[in-house]
């Protein structure tokens, strides 16, 4: 179950997934990761954080999303608040216990002006083709992307 997206906010926010063993997964949050590969705890990696802080596009993006970041922060710091946020649309979760699972990190391409890249970016360098920014539909679009690669290569032969 996903919340109704806010068109002003670029991410879906917390959602609820029933697991095959009957348990529930609640998440993810939609908060900035402080590391490209920090999958435990808050995942702080100072060089990655400094790289983000040095990007003027990030500050433009942050300025436009400060209210949402403030809304998400309590759920980042507190499991109870995170579960309470999900309970807003699944009331039976109110007061449920939870624990942190391994973190997932979703890469998101950003333009220099701070706007997010909403679609796939396919680039080429010589014989190598790169898919950058494969958002959530990336896995479900894998065959279509592969078809595009084949068509691109066949057009050159």
């Amino acid at each position: 179950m996903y919340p109704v997206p806010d068109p002003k906010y670029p991410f879906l926010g917390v959602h609820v997934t029933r697991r095959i063993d009957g348990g529930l997964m609640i998440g993810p949050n939609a908060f900035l990761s402080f590391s490209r590969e920090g999958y435990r705890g808050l995942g702080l990696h100072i060089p990655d954080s400094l790289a983000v802080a040095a990007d003027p596009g990030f500050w433009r993006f942050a300025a436009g999303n400060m209210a949402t970041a403030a809304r998400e922060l309590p759920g980042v710091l507190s499991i109870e608040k995170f579960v309470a946020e999900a309970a807003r649309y699944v009331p039976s979760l109110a007061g449920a216990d939870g624990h942190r699972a391994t973190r997932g990190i979703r890469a998101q391409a950003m333009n220099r002006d701070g706007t997010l890249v909403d679609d796939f970016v396919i680039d080429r360098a010589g014989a190598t083709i790169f898919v950058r920014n494969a958002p959530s539909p990336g896995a479900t679009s894998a065959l279509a992307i592969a078809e595009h690669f084949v068509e691109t290569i066949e057009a050159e032969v």
Side-chain angles (χ1 to χ4, degrees), residues 6 14-16 18 24 27 35 58 63 65-66 68 74 80 83-85 89 91-92 95 104 108 114 118 131 134 137:
D6 180 344
V14 66
H15 47 275
V16 179
R18 171 78 60 196
L24 291 177
S35 172
F58 166 73
N65 290 282
M66 202 58 70
T68 304
E80 291 80 14
V83 172
E85 178 66 19
Y89 58 93
S92 62
Q108 172 65 57
D118 289 330
V131 178

Side-chain angles (χ1 to χ4, degrees), residues 1 9 11 13 19 21-22 25-26 41 55 61 64 77 95 105 109 122 142 150 153:
M1 291 174 49
Y9 188 53
F11 305 109
R19 295 176 3 162
D21 67 1
M25 286 186 6
I26 303 172
D55 182 349
F61 173 81
L77 301 175
I105 299 172
I122 298 174
V150 169
I153 293 165

Side-chain angles (χ1 to χ4, degrees), residues 24-110:
L24 291 177
M25 286 186 6
I26 303 172
N29 66 22
F31 202 78
L32 175 68
S33 178
F34 296 106
S35 172
R36 289 186 177 103
E37 295 188 32
Y39 300 107
R40 300 249 182 251
L42 293 179
L44 178 63
H45 185 257
I46 292 174
D48 289 348
S49 296
L50 290 174
V52 170
D55 182 349
F58 166 73
W59 292 106
R60 289 184 192 101
F61 173 81
N65 290 282
M66 202 58 70
T68 304
R71 185 180 75 223
E72 289 282 322
L73 184 58
V76 171
L77 301 175
S78 163
I79 291 171
E80 291 80 14
K81 292 193 186 247
F82 190 72
V83 172
E85 178 66 19
R88 288 179 51 216
Y89 58 93
V90 182
S92 62
L93 292 174
D97 289 331
H99 67 277
R100 293 187 192 277
T102 303
R103 295 177 65 225
I105 299 172
R106 177 180 175 255
Q108 172 65 57
M110 181 179 291

